[in-house]
Amino acid sequence: MARRTQAQLAETRQALIASGKQLFSDKGFARTQVAEIAQNAGVGMSAFYGQFEDKSQLFLHIINEVFTELHSGVMQVRRGVNLQMPLESIMATQQIYVLIFETLMKHKEITLSVFRSGFSAIPGLEVLYWQICDAVAAALSQDYQHAESAGLLKIGSHRDMSDAMIGMVQHLGYRMVLQGTPTPIEAAKMCTQYTIGSLIMSIPKDKLQHLMPLWAAIPADVI
Amino acid sequence: MARRTQAQLAETRQALIASGKQLFSDKGFARTQVAEIAQNAGVGMSAFYGQFEDKSQLFLHIINEVFTELHSGVMQVRRGVNLQMPLESIMATQQIYVLIFETLMKHKEITLSVFRSGFSAIPGLEVLYWQICDAVAAALSQDYQHAESAGLLKIGSHRDMSDAMIGMVQHLGYRMVLQGTPTPIEAAKMCTQYTIGSLIMSIPKDKLQHLMPLWAAIPADVI
């Protein structure tokens, strides 16, 4: 057999990732076989094991990829927003939640697999899960710091604040992929309502007089 | 062997449940063996299988019992509260969250087992999980209905509202049992902040003028 070039190996790897993404999204982790992933990618089993240690490793790679894709989508929304404009920020928050719930829905079976397989069934999943939570918390913490330095908010624990958000997304997302309700938009609205509500609760009491006009300005279809 | 009386069987069952609760709470689901549960209860393996089909069935029974215990604790807090008094309701909300997080912490390894084993590893767990969510949602929905009939709040989906809460509790609870932070009190404060915030967001805009005095009345150590 001819020695494979770097380019060919990279191509094989990409085909396996695409194949895994499709099969895991369609059937979930447990019901997808390595042989199927390889066949669907047009390669043999040995090509699979040349790239990934096992099915779990590919699954983790894909979760990471989905998260990275989502993260860059979120960044794109944020770049377009003037965070100094409260109403713009609220609309952007909701847009970001929509993006998150749509991504969970797009990879419905992957989302379900994470819940159903549990964190111990897939080696490395619990560690990756908390790495993702850490990344989300770090990004949110920057926003909180800006708002705190500007005297707009006084948030106790940044980490608890962002973990509460992650929890909402998870649980609403779990029901969404299981039952089809809430829709991504409904779930996003509820999360926006909680998020903005909790931020309102973090406004120093001497800044409260600014709140009413902002509130009155929120269009009825936002939250 | 003498035929066991009903009373003896009931006693055996209680001993097995107490033993399982202790072992699952100390070591989690996966690392607890049926033989150990029986020994710790002072009975033989056959007595175990006379009462429960397998380890999973006992585990589900215990989760159900913990939830029932928690539920009656919550009801006790609620009975002492005048829900017409907003400040009293806020304090009660926080007290209920403290109770929930303390219960999760008390049964730390059971909490961890639920996350780590996943919903498919323990037969019946996913069904029980959603039954508990349904029960919580139904109880909260009654409160929302009262507040809506009184014209105090206008909540879109009761179910989404309560699922967001369940999600926060879960995710903050998961980190609490894993890392020891947040403490039950810190987690409860964060959840109270989100809950009250989301309810504030549900106040009809023409009722907003009542909000400021309420807000100013919240003591700094509550949320």
PDB file of all heavy atoms in Angstrom, chain A residues 11-42:
ATOM      1  N   GLU A  11      -7.428  14.676   4.878  1.00  0.00           N
ATOM      2  CA  GLU A  11      -8.711  14.500   4.199  1.00  0.00           C
ATOM      3  C   GLU A  11      -9.526  13.369   4.850  1.00  0.00           C
ATOM      4  O   GLU A  11     -10.726  13.512   5.091  1.00  0.00           O
ATOM      5  CB  GLU A  11      -8.433  14.152   2.740  1.00  0.00           C
ATOM      6  CG  GLU A  11      -9.542  14.555   1.785  1.00  0.00           C
ATOM      7  CD  GLU A  11      -9.141  14.218   0.351  1.00  0.00           C
ATOM      8  OE1 GLU A  11      -8.156  14.814  -0.153  1.00  0.00           O
ATOM      9  OE2 GLU A  11      -9.799  13.337  -0.234  1.00  0.00           O
ATOM     10  N   THR A  12      -8.834  12.271   5.136  1.00  0.00           N
ATOM     11  CA  THR A  12      -9.480  11.144   5.814  1.00  0.00           C
ATOM     12  C   THR A  12     -10.052  11.587   7.154  1.00  0.00           C
ATOM     13  O   THR A  12     -11.185  11.269   7.512  1.00  0.00           O
ATOM     14  CB  THR A  12      -8.449  10.019   6.064  1.00  0.00           C
ATOM     15  OG1 THR A  12      -7.973   9.583   4.795  1.00  0.00           O
ATOM     16  CG2 THR A  12      -9.063   8.861   6.814  1.00  0.00           C
ATOM     17  N   ARG A  13      -9.239  12.334   7.886  1.00  0.00           N
ATOM     18  CA  ARG A  13      -9.660  12.800   9.205  1.00  0.00           C
ATOM     19  C   ARG A  13     -10.931  13.653   9.095  1.00  0.00           C
ATOM     20  O   ARG A  13     -11.893  13.450   9.842  1.00  0.00           O
ATOM     21  CB  ARG A  13      -8.521  13.605   9.832  1.00  0.00           C
ATOM     22  CG  ARG A  13      -8.761  13.984  11.273  1.00  0.00           C
ATOM     23  CD  ARG A  13      -7.550  14.679  11.889  1.00  0.00           C
ATOM     24  NE  ARG A  13      -7.868  15.184  13.206  1.00  0.00           N
ATOM     25  CZ  ARG A  13      -7.825  14.467  14.316  1.00  0.00           C
ATOM     26  NH1 ARG A  13      -7.464  13.187  14.269  1.00  0.00           N
ATOM     27  NH2 ARG A  13      -8.149  14.988  15.482  1.00  0.00           N
ATOM     28  N   GLN A  14     -10.929  14.572   8.128  1.00  0.00           N
ATOM     29  CA  GLN A  14     -12.101  15.430   7.949  1.00  0.00           C
ATOM     30  C   GLN A  14     -13.333  14.620   7.573  1.00  0.00           C
ATOM     31  O   GLN A  14     -14.434  14.891   8.048  1.00  0.00           O
ATOM     32  CB  GLN A  14     -11.828  16.514   6.899  1.00  0.00           C
ATOM     33  CG  GLN A  14     -10.942  17.655   7.401  1.00  0.00           C
ATOM     34  CD  GLN A  14     -11.340  18.142   8.797  1.00  0.00           C
ATOM     35  OE1 GLN A  14     -12.506  18.428   9.070  1.00  0.00           O
ATOM     36  NE2 GLN A  14     -10.378  18.205   9.715  1.00  0.00           N
ATOM     37  N   ALA A  15     -13.124  13.614   6.706  1.00  0.00           N
ATOM     38  CA  ALA A  15     -14.260  12.770   6.292  1.00  0.00           C
ATOM     39  C   ALA A  15     -14.815  12.005   7.490  1.00  0.00           C
ATOM     40  O   ALA A  15     -16.038  11.865   7.640  1.00  0.00           O
ATOM     41  CB  ALA A  15     -13.813  11.798   5.200  1.00  0.00           C
ATOM     42  N   LEU A  16     -13.932  11.519   8.360  1.00  0.00           N
ATOM     43  CA  LEU A  16     -14.384  10.786   9.553  1.00  0.00           C
ATOM     44  C   LEU A  16     -15.146  11.699  10.510  1.00  0.00           C
ATOM     45  O   LEU A  16     -16.175  11.311  11.087  1.00  0.00           O
ATOM     46  CB  LEU A  16     -13.179  10.156  10.274  1.00  0.00           C
ATOM     47  CG  LEU A  16     -12.592   8.907   9.599  1.00  0.00           C
ATOM     48  CD1 LEU A  16     -11.215   8.587  10.170  1.00  0.00           C
ATOM     49  CD2 LEU A  16     -13.543   7.711   9.781  1.00  0.00           C
ATOM     50  N   ILE A  17     -14.658  12.929  10.654  1.00  0.00           N
ATOM     51  CA  ILE A  17     -15.335  13.876  11.555  1.00  0.00           C
ATOM     52  C   ILE A  17     -16.730  14.211  11.007  1.00  0.00           C
ATOM     53  O   ILE A  17     -17.717  14.188  11.743  1.00  0.00           O
ATOM     54  CB  ILE A  17     -14.484  15.153  11.738  1.00  0.00           C
ATOM     55  CG1 ILE A  17     -13.209  14.804  12.528  1.00  0.00           C
ATOM     56  CG2 ILE A  17     -15.268  16.248  12.445  1.00  0.00           C
ATOM     57  CD1 ILE A  17     -12.152  15.889  12.549  1.00  0.00           C
ATOM     58  N   ALA A  18     -16.785  14.474   9.693  1.00  0.00           N
ATOM     59  CA  ALA A  18     -18.081  14.801   9.084  1.00  0.00           C
ATOM     60  C   ALA A  18     -19.038  13.622   9.224  1.00  0.00           C
ATOM     61  O   ALA A  18     -20.217  13.789   9.553  1.00  0.00           O
ATOM     62  CB  ALA A  18     -17.891  15.170   7.619  1.00  0.00           C
ATOM     63  N   SER A  19     -18.520  12.420   8.981  1.00  0.00           N
ATOM     64  CA  SER A  19     -19.346  11.223   9.075  1.00  0.00           C
ATOM     65  C   SER A  19     -19.844  11.021  10.508  1.00  0.00           C
ATOM     66  O   SER A  19     -21.019  10.730  10.748  1.00  0.00           O
ATOM     67  CB  SER A  19     -18.523  10.016   8.612  1.00  0.00           C
ATOM     68  OG  SER A  19     -19.103   8.814   9.026  1.00  0.00           O
ATOM     69  N   GLY A  20     -18.935  11.178  11.463  1.00  0.00           N
ATOM     70  CA  GLY A  20     -19.299  11.022  12.879  1.00  0.00           C
ATOM     71  C   GLY A  20     -20.344  12.049  13.282  1.00  0.00           C
ATOM     72  O   GLY A  20     -21.323  11.728  13.953  1.00  0.00           O
ATOM     73  N   LYS A  21     -20.134  13.276  12.835  1.00  0.00           N
ATOM     74  CA  LYS A  21     -21.064  14.344  13.203  1.00  0.00           C
ATOM     75  C   LYS A  21     -22.473  13.993  12.724  1.00  0.00           C
ATOM     76  O   LYS A  21     -23.453  14.136  13.445  1.00  0.00           O
ATOM     77  CB  LYS A  21     -20.598  15.667  12.589  1.00  0.00           C
ATOM     78  CG  LYS A  21     -20.963  16.888  13.408  1.00  0.00           C
ATOM     79  CD  LYS A  21     -20.582  18.173  12.701  1.00  0.00           C
ATOM     80  CE  LYS A  21     -19.357  18.822  13.292  1.00  0.00           C
ATOM     81  NZ  LYS A  21     -18.987  20.084  12.634  1.00  0.00           N
ATOM     82  N   GLN A  22     -22.526  13.526  11.474  1.00  0.00           N
ATOM     83  CA  GLN A  22     -23.839  13.186  10.920  1.00  0.00           C
ATOM     84  C   GLN A  22     -24.474  12.015  11.660  1.00  0.00           C
ATOM     85  O   GLN A  22     -25.632  12.084  12.092  1.00  0.00           O
ATOM     86  CB  GLN A  22     -23.661  12.834   9.440  1.00  0.00           C
ATOM     87  CG  GLN A  22     -24.980  12.690   8.699  1.00  0.00           C
ATOM     88  CD  GLN A  22     -24.817  11.837   7.441  1.00  0.00           C
ATOM     89  OE1 GLN A  22     -23.776  11.887   6.787  1.00  0.00           O
ATOM     90  NE2 GLN A  22     -25.825  11.046   7.131  1.00  0.00           N
ATOM     91  N   LEU A  23     -23.710  10.937  11.862  1.00  0.00           N
ATOM     92  CA  LEU A  23     -24.273   9.748  12.501  1.00  0.00           C
ATOM     93  C   LEU A  23     -24.626   9.993  13.970  1.00  0.00           C
ATOM     94  O   LEU A  23     -25.693   9.593  14.436  1.00  0.00           O
ATOM     95  CB  LEU A  23     -23.305   8.565  12.360  1.00  0.00           C
ATOM     96  CG  LEU A  23     -23.223   7.992  10.939  1.00  0.00           C
ATOM     97  CD1 LEU A  23     -22.016   7.074  10.784  1.00  0.00           C
ATOM     98  CD2 LEU A  23     -24.504   7.221  10.596  1.00  0.00           C
ATOM     99  N   PHE A  24     -23.734  10.664  14.697  1.00  0.00           N
ATOM    100  CA  PHE A  24     -24.045  10.963  16.107  1.00  0.00           C
ATOM    101  C   PHE A  24     -25.276  11.863  16.199  1.00  0.00           C
ATOM    102  O   PHE A  24     -26.112  11.709  17.087  1.00  0.00           O
ATOM    103  CB  PHE A  24     -22.863  11.646  16.803  1.00  0.00           C
ATOM    104  CG  PHE A  24     -21.667  10.763  17.057  1.00  0.00           C
ATOM    105  CD1 PHE A  24     -20.375  11.243  16.902  1.00  0.00           C
ATOM    106  CD2 PHE A  24     -21.828   9.444  17.483  1.00  0.00           C
ATOM    107  CE1 PHE A  24     -19.263  10.439  17.155  1.00  0.00           C
ATOM    108  CE2 PHE A  24     -20.717   8.624  17.736  1.00  0.00           C
ATOM    109  CZ  PHE A  24     -19.438   9.123  17.561  1.00  0.00           C
ATOM    110  N   SER A  25     -25.379  12.839  15.265  1.00  0.00           N
ATOM    111  CA  SER A  25     -26.529  13.749  15.293  1.00  0.00           C
ATOM    112  C   SER A  25     -27.825  13.023  14.947  1.00  0.00           C
ATOM    113  O   SER A  25     -28.889  13.358  15.451  1.00  0.00           O
ATOM    114  CB  SER A  25     -26.319  14.919  14.328  1.00  0.00           C
ATOM    115  OG  SER A  25     -25.288  15.751  14.799  1.00  0.00           O
ATOM    116  N   ASP A  26     -27.721  12.008  14.069  1.00  0.00           N
ATOM    117  CA  ASP A  26     -28.921  11.274  13.658  1.00  0.00           C
ATOM    118  C   ASP A  26     -29.322  10.195  14.657  1.00  0.00           C
ATOM    119  O   ASP A  26     -30.499   9.970  14.891  1.00  0.00           O
ATOM    120  CB  ASP A  26     -28.697  10.585  12.293  1.00  0.00           C
ATOM    121  CG  ASP A  26     -28.614  11.590  11.159  1.00  0.00           C
ATOM    122  OD1 ASP A  26     -28.933  12.771  11.392  1.00  0.00           O
ATOM    123  OD2 ASP A  26     -28.219  11.191  10.043  1.00  0.00           O
ATOM    124  N   LYS A  27     -28.323   9.503  15.218  1.00  0.00           N
ATOM    125  CA  LYS A  27     -28.626   8.303  16.004  1.00  0.00           C
ATOM    126  C   LYS A  27     -28.136   8.349  17.439  1.00  0.00           C
ATOM    127  O   LYS A  27     -28.432   7.445  18.220  1.00  0.00           O
ATOM    128  CB  LYS A  27     -27.968   7.081  15.323  1.00  0.00           C
ATOM    129  CG  LYS A  27     -28.313   6.925  13.857  1.00  0.00           C
ATOM    130  CD  LYS A  27     -27.472   5.859  13.171  1.00  0.00           C
ATOM    131  CE  LYS A  27     -27.482   4.547  13.900  1.00  0.00           C
ATOM    132  NZ  LYS A  27     -26.806   3.469  13.146  1.00  0.00           N
ATOM    133  N   GLY A  28     -27.366   9.351  17.771  1.00  0.00           N
ATOM    134  CA  GLY A  28     -26.821   9.407  19.121  1.00  0.00           C
ATOM    135  C   GLY A  28     -25.533   8.617  19.242  1.00  0.00           C
ATOM    136  O   GLY A  28     -25.128   7.917  18.305  1.00  0.00           O
ATOM    137  N   PHE A  29     -24.899   8.720  20.383  1.00  0.00           N
ATOM    138  CA  PHE A  29     -23.606   8.090  20.622  1.00  0.00           C
ATOM    139  C   PHE A  29     -23.715   6.568  20.686  1.00  0.00           C
ATOM    140  O   PHE A  29     -22.984   5.847  19.997  1.00  0.00           O
ATOM    141  CB  PHE A  29     -23.020   8.618  21.943  1.00  0.00           C
ATOM    142  CG  PHE A  29     -21.697   8.006  22.318  1.00  0.00           C
ATOM    143  CD1 PHE A  29     -20.532   8.415  21.691  1.00  0.00           C
ATOM    144  CD2 PHE A  29     -21.625   7.024  23.298  1.00  0.00           C
ATOM    145  CE1 PHE A  29     -19.306   7.853  22.038  1.00  0.00           C
ATOM    146  CE2 PHE A  29     -20.402   6.459  23.647  1.00  0.00           C
ATOM    147  CZ  PHE A  29     -19.252   6.866  23.020  1.00  0.00           C
ATOM    148  N   ALA A  30     -24.637   6.087  21.506  1.00  0.00           N
ATOM    149  CA  ALA A  30     -24.681   4.644  21.808  1.00  0.00           C
ATOM    150  C   ALA A  30     -24.978   3.806  20.560  1.00  0.00           C
ATOM    151  O   ALA A  30     -24.404   2.727  20.383  1.00  0.00           O
ATOM    152  CB  ALA A  30     -25.724   4.370  22.890  1.00  0.00           C
ATOM    153  N   ARG A  31     -25.857   4.300  19.696  1.00  0.00           N
ATOM    154  CA  ARG A  31     -26.300   3.473  18.562  1.00  0.00           C
ATOM    155  C   ARG A  31     -25.436   3.635  17.311  1.00  0.00           C
ATOM    156  O   ARG A  31     -25.755   3.102  16.254  1.00  0.00           O
ATOM    157  CB  ARG A  31     -27.776   3.752  18.257  1.00  0.00           C
ATOM    158  CG  ARG A  31     -28.699   3.025  19.252  1.00  0.00           C
ATOM    159  CD  ARG A  31     -30.150   3.203  18.887  1.00  0.00           C
ATOM    160  NE  ARG A  31     -30.534   4.609  18.963  1.00  0.00           N
ATOM    161  CZ  ARG A  31     -31.404   5.193  18.166  1.00  0.00           C
ATOM    162  NH1 ARG A  31     -31.987   4.498  17.189  1.00  0.00           N
ATOM    163  NH2 ARG A  31     -31.716   6.454  18.324  1.00  0.00           N
ATOM    164  N   THR A  32     -24.359   4.399  17.437  1.00  0.00           N
ATOM    165  CA  THR A  32     -23.457   4.572  16.294  1.00  0.00           C
ATOM    166  C   THR A  32     -22.224   3.679  16.468  1.00  0.00           C
ATOM    167  O   THR A  32     -21.599   3.679  17.531  1.00  0.00           O
ATOM    168  CB  THR A  32     -23.023   6.051  16.187  1.00  0.00           C
ATOM    169  OG1 THR A  32     -24.187   6.846  15.994  1.00  0.00           O
ATOM    170  CG2 THR A  32     -22.085   6.259  15.001  1.00  0.00           C
ATOM    171  N   GLN A  33     -21.906   2.896  15.437  1.00  0.00           N
ATOM    172  CA  GLN A  33     -20.756   1.982  15.479  1.00  0.00           C
ATOM    173  C   GLN A  33     -19.567   2.584  14.724  1.00  0.00           C
ATOM    174  O   GLN A  33     -19.766   3.288  13.729  1.00  0.00           O
ATOM    175  CB  GLN A  33     -21.110   0.652  14.796  1.00  0.00           C
ATOM    176  CG  GLN A  33     -22.419   0.019  15.243  1.00  0.00           C
ATOM    177  CD  GLN A  33     -22.323  -0.600  16.620  1.00  0.00           C
ATOM    178  OE1 GLN A  33     -21.236  -1.018  17.034  1.00  0.00           O
ATOM    179  NE2 GLN A  33     -23.438  -0.632  17.334  1.00  0.00           N
ATOM    180  N   VAL A  34     -18.373   2.232  15.176  1.00  0.00           N
ATOM    181  CA  VAL A  34     -17.161   2.693  14.492  1.00  0.00           C
ATOM    182  C   VAL A  34     -17.167   2.248  13.021  1.00  0.00           C
ATOM    183  O   VAL A  34     -16.831   3.033  12.120  1.00  0.00           O
ATOM    184  CB  VAL A  34     -15.885   2.178  15.211  1.00  0.00           C
ATOM    185  CG1 VAL A  34     -14.645   2.395  14.341  1.00  0.00           C
ATOM    186  CG2 VAL A  34     -15.710   2.879  16.553  1.00  0.00           C
ATOM    187  N   ALA A  35     -17.591   0.998  12.771  1.00  0.00           N
ATOM    188  CA  ALA A  35     -17.595   0.464  11.404  1.00  0.00           C
ATOM    189  C   ALA A  35     -18.452   1.328  10.476  1.00  0.00           C
ATOM    190  O   ALA A  35     -18.083   1.607   9.334  1.00  0.00           O
ATOM    191  CB  ALA A  35     -18.111  -0.974  11.409  1.00  0.00           C
ATOM    192  N   GLU A  36     -19.582   1.763  11.021  1.00  0.00           N
ATOM    193  CA  GLU A  36     -20.513   2.600  10.267  1.00  0.00           C
ATOM    194  C   GLU A  36     -19.900   3.968   9.953  1.00  0.00           C
ATOM    195  O   GLU A  36     -20.069   4.509   8.860  1.00  0.00           O
ATOM    196  CB  GLU A  36     -21.713   2.882  11.180  1.00  0.00           C
ATOM    197  CG  GLU A  36     -23.033   2.381  10.754  1.00  0.00           C
ATOM    198  CD  GLU A  36     -24.013   2.733  11.875  1.00  0.00           C
ATOM    199  OE1 GLU A  36     -23.636   2.677  13.067  1.00  0.00           O
ATOM    200  OE2 GLU A  36     -25.147   3.089  11.542  1.00  0.00           O
ATOM    201  N   ILE A  37     -19.237   4.531  10.974  1.00  0.00           N
ATOM    202  CA  ILE A  37     -18.606   5.845  10.790  1.00  0.00           C
ATOM    203  C   ILE A  37     -17.575   5.764   9.670  1.00  0.00           C
ATOM    204  O   ILE A  37     -17.531   6.619   8.776  1.00  0.00           O
ATOM    205  CB  ILE A  37     -17.925   6.326  12.101  1.00  0.00           C
ATOM    206  CG1 ILE A  37     -18.967   6.475  13.216  1.00  0.00           C
ATOM    207  CG2 ILE A  37     -17.187   7.652  11.878  1.00  0.00           C
ATOM    208  CD1 ILE A  37     -18.368   6.711  14.601  1.00  0.00           C
ATOM    209  N   ALA A  38     -16.777   4.687   9.702  1.00  0.00           N
ATOM    210  CA  ALA A  38     -15.739   4.506   8.685  1.00  0.00           C
ATOM    211  C   ALA A  38     -16.375   4.326   7.306  1.00  0.00           C
ATOM    212  O   ALA A  38     -16.006   5.007   6.336  1.00  0.00           O
ATOM    213  CB  ALA A  38     -14.856   3.315   9.047  1.00  0.00           C
ATOM    214  N   GLN A  39     -17.364   3.434   7.225  1.00  0.00           N
ATOM    215  CA  GLN A  39     -18.023   3.145   5.945  1.00  0.00           C
ATOM    216  C   GLN A  39     -18.634   4.413   5.347  1.00  0.00           C
ATOM    217  O   GLN A  39     -18.460   4.709   4.169  1.00  0.00           O
ATOM    218  CB  GLN A  39     -19.106   2.091   6.161  1.00  0.00           C
ATOM    219  CG  GLN A  39     -19.577   1.475   4.844  1.00  0.00           C
ATOM    220  CD  GLN A  39     -20.793   0.569   5.049  1.00  0.00           C
ATOM    221  OE1 GLN A  39     -21.330   0.476   6.147  1.00  0.00           O
ATOM    222  NE2 GLN A  39     -21.229  -0.092   3.981  1.00  0.00           N
ATOM    223  N   ASN A  40     -19.332   5.158   6.185  1.00  0.00           N
ATOM    224  CA  ASN A  40     -19.996   6.393   5.780  1.00  0.00           C
ATOM    225  C   ASN A  40     -18.990   7.455   5.314  1.00  0.00           C
ATOM    226  O   ASN A  40     -19.312   8.332   4.521  1.00  0.00           O
ATOM    227  CB  ASN A  40     -20.826   6.911   6.971  1.00  0.00           C
ATOM    228  CG  ASN A  40     -21.690   8.103   6.635  1.00  0.00           C
ATOM    229  OD1 ASN A  40     -22.303   8.130   5.570  1.00  0.00           O
ATOM    230  ND2 ASN A  40     -21.731   9.074   7.523  1.00  0.00           N
ATOM    231  N   ALA A  41     -17.748   7.314   5.810  1.00  0.00           N
ATOM    232  CA  ALA A  41     -16.690   8.246   5.413  1.00  0.00           C
ATOM    233  C   ALA A  41     -15.930   7.722   4.198  1.00  0.00           C
ATOM    234  O   ALA A  41     -15.022   8.395   3.693  1.00  0.00           O
ATOM    235  CB  ALA A  41     -15.727   8.473   6.576  1.00  0.00           C
ATOM    236  N   GLY A  42     -16.277   6.507   3.755  1.00  0.00           N
ATOM    237  CA  GLY A  42     -15.597   5.914   2.600  1.00  0.00           C
ATOM    238  C   GLY A  42     -14.190   5.420   2.896  1.00  0.00           C
ATOM    239  O   GLY A  42     -13.354   5.354   1.998  1.00  0.00           O
TER     240      GLY A  42
END
